C-alpha cells in the first residue's frame, strides 16, 4: 500500500485534473476558430454545406464547454486547497491573468449563448457571424491568460523578495515574463492544430464508411487546410521554444535530450534507453541537431547536466515525452501537407483510404501530443513549482485526506467522460447529417 504523502497525492490529483481538463481546454480554444471559418466561407460563397458545418460543430462544442467548466472549476479549487503556499505568492503577483481568464470565459459564454439562440434570426447572415467573433476571441484569450500563469511558474518575474516579504509587485511584468511569448504561441497554435484534426477525423471516418456526400469532403478540405497551416506554425514555434529553454532552463533541455556533458556540435537523441551509468543505448542520434535547436548553430556549445546540482535536475523520463510530442507533430505535418499536395494535383485522389486512415489516426495522436507537451512542461519543471524560488514540496498542503479527494475526483472524471461521449453520440446519431441535409433541401 502506498504510504500517505500529501505532496505525492497532491501532485497526482493535480496532474490527473490537468490531463483531463486539457482535452476540453484544447477543444475550447480551437473549435470556435473552425466554426468561424466554416460560417465565414458559407456566407461568402453562399454555400449551405459550410453553414451547416458551422451549425453542427457548434452543437457539439457546447457539450465540451459544459464539461470544461466543471474541470476548470476543479482546477481552481485544487490550487487553493492543495497548493496554499504557492497561491499565497501567486495571489499577490499573478492574480491579474487568473481574473482575466475568468472574465474571458464569461465573455465567450455570453456571446456563445446569443450565437446559438439567433441562428436563422437575421436577414443578413453576416450579422450572425459577427456574434461568433467575441466567442473566438474569448476562447483564445482564455487560453492566453491561463498560459501566462504557467509561464510565470517557469520564469517568475514582477516582484522582489526582501526578508521573505514580496515587494515591488508588477502584475504586467509577471504576466509578460520571458516564457510568455513562446508558451502562449505554442499552446494556441497546437490547440488550433489539434481541433482541426479532431474535426477532420469525423469527416474522414464518414468517408471511410462510404458516406461520400460532398458535405464530408468540404469538411475535410477545410479542416486539413487549417491543420497544414498550424502544423507548420507549431513546428516553427517549437524551434523557438527550444532556444528559450537553452537560455532560461538549460537543465530542462539537457534532461529532455539526455545531454550530460557540456559540448559543442551536440547531437539530438531520439528514443533509446538510459542505463544506470548514464549511457544511452539504442537511441537514434542526429548529429548537430541539439546545437541547432538550442542556438541555431551546428557548432554551438550546449550546456550539459553536469553543470547543475543533482537535486535540481528534472526527471529523465521527460525525454520520452519530448520525443513523442515531436514525432507526432512531424506526423501531423506530413499528413496535412500530403493532403494539400494531393488536393492540388489533377487526377490525384486525396480521399484515398490510406490517407483517410492517417487523418483519422491523427486526431487521437494530436491529443496525445497535447498531453505529452503538458507533461513535458510540468514534469520538466520539477523539482520547482516556481523555478528557482519555491520547490514543489514547499508549495503543497500538509493536510490529510488528499488521497480521498483523489478517488472522488477520479470518479467524477469517469462519470463526465461517459456522459460527454454518450451525449455527443446520441446527439449526432439521432440527427445524422444526411437526414438534416434532406430536411433542409440541401443537395
Amino acid at each position: 500500500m502506498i504510504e500517505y504523502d500529501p505532496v505525492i497525492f497532491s501532485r497526482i490529483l493535480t496532474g490527473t485534473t490537468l490531463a483531463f481538463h486539457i482535452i476540453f481546454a484544447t477543444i475550447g480554444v480551437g473549435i470556435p476558430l473552425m466554426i468561424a471559418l466554416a460560417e465565414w466561407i458559407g456566407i461568402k460563397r453562399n454555400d449551405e454545406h459550410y453553414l451547416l458545418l458551422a451549425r453542427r460543430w457548434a452543437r457539439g462544442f457546447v457539450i465540451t464547454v459544459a464539461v470544461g467548466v466543471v474541470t476548470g472549476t476543479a482546477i481552481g479549487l485544487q490550487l487553493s486547497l492543495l497548493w496554499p503556499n504557492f497561491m499565497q505568492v501567486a495571489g499577490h503577483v499573478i492574480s491579474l491573468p487568473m481574473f482575466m481568464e475568468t472574465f474571458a470565459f464569461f465573455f465567450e459564454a455570453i456571446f456563445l449563448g446569443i450565437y446559438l439562440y439567433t441562428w436563422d434570426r437575421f436577414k443578413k447572415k453576416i450579422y450572425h457571424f459577427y456574434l461568433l467573433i467575441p466567442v473566438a476571441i474569448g476562447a483564445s484569450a482564455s487560453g492566453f491568460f491561463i498560459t501566462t500563469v504557467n509561464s510565470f511558474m517557469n520564469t517568475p518575474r514582477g516582484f522582489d523578495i526582501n526578508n521573505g516579504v514580496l515587494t515591488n509587485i508588477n502584475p504586467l511584468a509577471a504576466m509578460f515574463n520571458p516564457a510568455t511569448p513562446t508558451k502562449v504561441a505554442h499552446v494556441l497554435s497546437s490547440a488550433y492544430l489539434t481541433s482541426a484534426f479532431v474535426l477532420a477525423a469525423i469527416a474522414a471516418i464518414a468517408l471511410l464508411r462510404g458516406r461520400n456526400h460532398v458535405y464530408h469532403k468540404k469538411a475535410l478540405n477545410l479542416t486539413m487546410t487549417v491543420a497544414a497551416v498550424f502544423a507548420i506554425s507549431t513546428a516553427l514555434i517549437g524551434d523557438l521554444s527550444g532556444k528559450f529553454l537553452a537560455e532560461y532552463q538549460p537543465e530542462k533541455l539537457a534532461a529532455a535530450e539526455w545531454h550530460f556533458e557540456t559540448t559543442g556540435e551536440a547531437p539530438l537523441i531520439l528514443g533509446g534507453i538510459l542505463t544506470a551509468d548514464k549511457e544511452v543505448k539504442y537511441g537514434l542520434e542526429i548529429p548537430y541537431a541539439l546545437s541547432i535547436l538550442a542556438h541555431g548553430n551546428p557548432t554551438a556549445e550546449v550546456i550539459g547536466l553536469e553543470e547543475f546540482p543533482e537535486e535540481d535536475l528534472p526527471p529523465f523520463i521527460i525525454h520520452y515525452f519530448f520525443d513523442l510530442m515531436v514525432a507526432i507533430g512531424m506526423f501531423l505535418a506530413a499528413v496535412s501537407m500530403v493532403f494539400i499536395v494531393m488536393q492540388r494535383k489533377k487526377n490525384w485522389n486525396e480521399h484515398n483510404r490510406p490517407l483517410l486512415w492517417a487523418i483519422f489516426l491523427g486526431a487521437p495522436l494530436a491529443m496525445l501530443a497535447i498531453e505529452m507537451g503538458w507533461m513535458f512542461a510540468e514534469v520538466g519543471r520539477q523539482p520547482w513549482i516556481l523555478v528557482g524560488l519555491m520547490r514543489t514540496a514547499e508549495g503543497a498542503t500538509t493536510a490529510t485526506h488528499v488521497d480521498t479527494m483523489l478517488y472522488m475526483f477520479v470518479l467524477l472524471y469517469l462519470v463526465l467522460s461517459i456522459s460527454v461521449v454518450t451525449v455527443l453520440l446520441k446527439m449526432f446519431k439521432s440527427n445524422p447529417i444526411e437526414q438534416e441535409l434532406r430536411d433542409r433541401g440541401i443537395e
Side-chain angles (χ1 to χ4, degrees):
M1 187 173 181
I2 300 176
E3 183 180 351
Y4 178 77
D5 181 347
V7 177
I8 295 298
F9 277 98
S10 293
R11 290 183 62 185
I12 294 173
L13 176 51
T14 305
T16 302
T17 301
L18 285 171
F20 188 67
H21 175 70
I22 195 64
I23 297 171
F24 300 96
T26 298
I27 291 172
V29 169
I31 295 295
L33 176 65
M34 299 302 305
I35 298 172
L37 288 172
E39 186 165 4
W40 173 259
I41 294 172
I43 293 170
K44 288 299 177 182
R45 296 181 182 177
N46 194 26
D47 191 323
E48 291 293 335
H49 294 122
Y50 284 103
L51 293 175
L52 190 55
L53 270 176
R55 190 187 293 260
R56 289 176 67 88
W57 287 347
R59 292 173 193 161
F61 175 63
V62 173
I63 306 302
T64 61
V65 168
V67 179
V69 170
V70 177
T71 55
T73 303
I75 290 174
L77 175 66
Q78 290 170 21
L79 283 175
S80 299
L81 294 179
L82 305 181
W83 308 100
N85 296 329
F86 163 71
M87 289 301 292
Q88 186 175 9
V89 175
H92 287 288
V93 184
I94 201 67
S95 56
L96 176 61
M98 289 181 171
F99 167 77
M100 292 302 295
E101 192 274 337
T102 304
F103 175 80
F105 169 74
F106 280 116
F107 181 73
E108 172 193 358
I110 290 168
F111 280 94
L112 178 60
I114 299 171
Y115 174 81
L116 293 171
Y117 180 74
T118 54
W119 273 104
D120 303 322
R121 292 178 180 267
F122 294 100
K123 290 183 178 179
K124 291 187 176 181
K125 295 178 181 179
I126 194 67
Y127 292 157
H128 184 254
F129 168 79
Y130 291 153
L131 292 171
L132 189 57
I133 295 175
V135 177
I137 292 175
S140 295
S142 183
F144 167 83
F145 287 123
I146 205 62
T147 304
T148 63
V149 177
N150 184 268
S151 302
F152 170 79
M153 295 166 72
N154 286 275
T155 52
R157 297 291 189 275
F159 65 98
D160 295 323
I161 300 181
N162 295 319
N163 299 322
V165 178
L166 297 177
T167 61
N168 300 325
I169 294 173
N170 185 337
L172 289 179
M175 273 185 64
F176 296 99
N177 58 78
T180 293
T182 53
K183 271 196 168 292
V184 167
H186 195 68
V187 165
L188 294 182
S189 182
S190 59
Y192 300 143
L193 169 61
T194 301
S195 297
F197 259 96
V198 168
L199 296 176
I202 297 172
I205 198 64
L207 291 169
L208 284 167
R209 289 175 174 175
R211 296 158 60 188
N212 294 317
H213 196 283
V214 67
Y215 170 91
H216 300 298
K217 295 180 180 180
K218 288 180 178 180
L220 196 63
N221 292 345
L222 172 59
T223 52
M224 291 309 296
T225 301
V226 173
V229 171
F230 286 108
I232 295 171
S233 67
T234 301
L236 294 175
I237 296 165
D239 178 70
L240 295 176
S241 298
K243 291 169 176 55
F244 162 81
L245 290 177
E247 181 175 356
Y248 290 96
Q249 291 179 285
E251 72 281 8
K252 185 175 180 178
L253 180 63
E257 285 304 319
W258 292 343
H259 181 67
F260 291 94
E261 297 181 2
T262 299
T263 180
E265 301 180 355
L268 190 145
I269 298 173
L270 298 176
I273 298 174
L274 187 63
T275 68
D277 298 328
K278 296 180 179 179
E279 292 184 4
V280 181
K281 291 186 176 181
Y282 314 116
L284 175 62
E285 190 174 286
I286 304 177
Y288 311 109
L290 184 56
S291 289
I292 295 172
L293 176 65
H295 302 291
N297 184 340
T299 63
E301 183 177 83
V302 180
I303 298 175
L305 292 170
E306 64 183 3
E307 305 285 342
F308 306 96
E310 189 169 346
E311 64 270 18
D312 290 344
L313 298 182
F316 293 150
I317 194 174
I318 66 172
H319 172 74
Y320 297 113
F321 301 157
F322 181 79
D323 282 0
L324 269 172
M325 177 180 63
V326 172
I328 293 172
M330 293 173 64
F331 172 81
L332 299 179
V335 170
S336 56
M337 292 307 298
V338 166
F339 182 90
I340 296 301
V341 170
M342 295 189 71
Q343 185 186 46
R344 282 157 175 71
K345 293 288 186 179
K346 291 183 178 180
N347 301 322
W348 287 26
N349 178 22
E350 70 272 23
H351 302 125
N352 63 81
R353 294 186 69 83
L355 185 55
L356 290 176
W357 277 115
I359 293 170
F360 177 73
L361 182 63
L365 285 178
M367 199 57 74
L368 178 62
I370 292 289
E371 297 284 3
M372 291 298 101
W374 275 103
M375 290 176 68
F376 173 68
E378 298 302 295
V379 177
R381 192 182 60 247
Q382 301 305 314
W384 305 99
I385 192 169
L386 281 174
V387 173
L389 295 176
M390 180 185 290
R391 291 182 181 270
T392 302
E394 296 170 342
T397 182
T398 57
T400 57
H401 305 305
V402 179
D403 52 344
T404 304
M405 287 182 60
L406 172 63
Y407 306 140
M408 292 175 60
F409 274 102
V410 168
L411 179 60
L412 171 64
Y413 302 148
L414 181 61
V415 171
L416 287 174
S417 299
I418 295 172
S419 299
V420 72
V421 171
T422 302
V423 170
L424 286 173
L425 288 177
K426 186 173 180 60
M427 177 185 292
F428 290 106
K429 279 190 174 182
S430 62
N431 185 27
I433 181 59
E434 289 79 7
Q435 182 63 48
E436 190 164 0
L437 286 166
R438 287 193 296 270
D439 292 344
R440 293 178 176 276
I442 305 172
E443 296 182 0

